[in-house]
Amino acid sequence: MLETARERAMPRIDFWCEFASTYSYPAAMRIEARAAGQGVTVRWRPFLLGPLFFEQGWRDSPFNLYPVKGRYMWRDLERTCEALGLPLKRPQPFPQNSLLAARVALALDDLLRGRFSRAVYAAEFGEGRPIADRAVISDLVAGLGEKAEDVLARAESLENKAALKAACEEAKTLGLPGAPVCVTADGELFWGNDRLEQALDWATR
Amino acid sequence: MLETARERAMPRIDFWCEFASTYSYPAAMRIEARAAGQGVTVRWRPFLLGPLFFEQGWRDSPFNLYPVKGRYMWRDLERTCEALGLPLKRPQPFPQNSLLAARVALALDDLLRGRFSRAVYAAEFGEGRPIADRAVISDLVAGLGEKAEDVLARAESLENKAALKAACEEAKTLGLPGAPVCVTADGELFWGNDRLEQALDWATR
């Protein structure tokens, strides 16, 4: 997508999100409004945590591997969503396989990517819908006014698969410890829904 | 320590802190002022994370076991301390052995426990002093106007050692996922320096 001169001059944040990640849900639902209020452009950067976790020796979500942490997280997420007025329905199983959603997000242009991403999070964590399901993803794409069949074909093209792999490599190089992470233009990482405000303040200071 | 009728009526927070824990430092340095502003009494609950981590299969700090997480944490802590105007000097080695500090904190009365705890955190993370060192702890106790020899003898009595073990058992029963954790009277857990405000709001709502 072509950037206008005004957009180029605006501070920007890369919002690295993983569709299976719980705290990415509230962050994704509120980042655009907050960023707009501070004149910050958000670049949606879908990626997969799996390869990064694999390198740490984790073969599952740390929230499953460490149940004490998992129990805390679900209760904390409940309180977070309640405070934001967001519905919360725990997806089964957790984590959801997020590969298709990530590929589709990457295959869309910048504007649609944000809208699609929010739709995925709302379906998954607001309604408990299975986002690994092709029919669910097609439905969400159609909801954007796009032709699902075309978008999915693009999503599963070799180029797009390679683009997602490259994004995961970039995430690794950046040293992302989890998701969501806001990365500012000067390379600062802000991890978690609860670091959104600090990330935006940093980007505009 | 005897509570006055007014203190009994005030909302209270249990502040579970581990002297080796990085994020406990900024939380410990600011909790009293914030709590006082909202009329909340803070009960300092020193404990050890070691036994809890052991049960998760961790034989070291997760920040050492998972270097990506550790790198993020140190940078995030730097920013946090800078924003609060707190000095930060990384203690070597990390984590420090916090057993003696925890025993001494527990052997002091409620009022001195808070003052001692802040002194330990300031020495450890503000000046990089080795808190496993008996001379350092004695020095901090003397700084409170107490006789170090007496306090250390009390700290290492069988009763006090048993009291610390009981605190660690209680922490396990409560399901503390790390430190610091604020626990409200109705049993809600708020983990991390960045949950202090929410914990206080919850306690007073």
Side-chain angles (χ1 to χ4, degrees), chain A residues 100-173:
Chain A
L100 182 62
R103 283 180 178 162
V104 169
L106 210 60
L108 294 166
D109 71 29
D110 287 356
L111 197 67
L112 284 174
R113 186 175 301 137
R115 286 178 55 206
F116 172 75
S117 299
R118 284 190 297 277
V120 171
Y121 284 115
E124 179 185 18
F125 291 106
E127 304 173 52
R129 291 172 74 188
I131 62 154
D133 187 331
R134 220 174 163 77
V136 171
I137 294 294
S138 295
D139 191 32
L140 299 176
V141 172
L144 306 173
E146 296 293 298
K147 211 177 154 195
E149 204 181 326
D150 294 354
V151 172
L152 264 76
R154 221 157 63 225
E156 289 171 327
S157 67
L158 287 178
E159 296 98 305
N160 195 63
K161 287 179 180 178
L164 182 58
K165 271 197 191 132
C168 294
E169 277 304 310
E170 191 182 341
K172 196 175 121 185
T173 305

Side-chain angles (χ1 to χ4, degrees), chain A residues 63-118:
Chain A
F63 294 129
N64 291 340
L65 292 172
Y66 309 112
V68 175
K69 216 171 153 174
R71 265 193 300 277
Y72 174 80
M73 178 278 291
W74 287 111
R75 177 60 189 141
D76 187 53
L77 187 67
E78 253 175 30
R79 286 189 310 236
T80 301
C81 289
E82 200 184 307
L84 295 168
L86 289 172
L88 177 63
K89 192 167 169 189
R90 193 164 159 168
Q92 298 291 354
F94 172 81
Q96 296 275 299
N97 184 321
S98 55
L99 178 61
L100 182 62
R103 283 180 178 162
V104 169
L106 210 60
L108 294 166
D109 71 29
D110 287 356
L111 197 67
L112 284 174
R113 186 175 301 137
R115 286 178 55 206
F116 172 75
S117 299
R118 284 190 297 277

Side-chain angles (χ1 to χ4, degrees), chain B residues 8-139:
Chain B
R8 267 196 304 279
M10 280 172 82
R12 189 177 70 190
I13 268 185
D14 275 9
F15 179 65
W16 290 84
C17 57
E18 146 72 81
F19 289 110
S21 145
T22 51
Y23 286 113
S24 293
Y25 167 47
M29 300 313 277
R30 68 198 193 90
I31 191 169
E32 290 282 9
R34 291 207 73 104
Q38 290 185 248
V40 177
T41 303
V42 177
R43 196 162 65 160
W44 292 74
R45 304 296 312 267
F47 79 114
L48 302 172
L49 272 175
L52 274 70
F53 282 177
F54 195 87
E55 298 219 333
Q56 309 280 322
W58 299 325
R59 302 289 177 272
D60 191 358
S61 163
F63 294 128
N64 290 339
L65 292 172
Y66 309 111
V68 175
K69 218 171 152 172
R71 265 192 300 278
Y72 174 79
M73 179 278 291
W74 287 112
R75 177 60 188 140
D76 186 53
L77 187 67
E78 252 175 30
R79 288 189 308 237
T80 301
C81 289
E82 200 184 309
L84 295 169
L86 289 172
L88 177 63
K89 192 168 169 188
R90 193 164 162 170
Q92 297 292 357
F94 173 81
Q96 294 277 300
N97 184 321
S98 55
L99 179 62
L100 182 62
R103 282 180 177 162
V104 169
L106 209 60
L108 295 167
D109 71 28
D110 287 356
L111 198 66
L112 285 174
R113 186 176 301 137
R115 286 177 54 204
F116 172 75
S117 300
R118 284 190 297 277
V120 172
Y121 284 115
E124 180 186 18
F125 292 106
E127 305 173 52
R129 291 173 73 189
I131 60 154
D133 187 331
R134 218 172 167 77
V136 170
I137 294 294
S138 294
D139 191 32

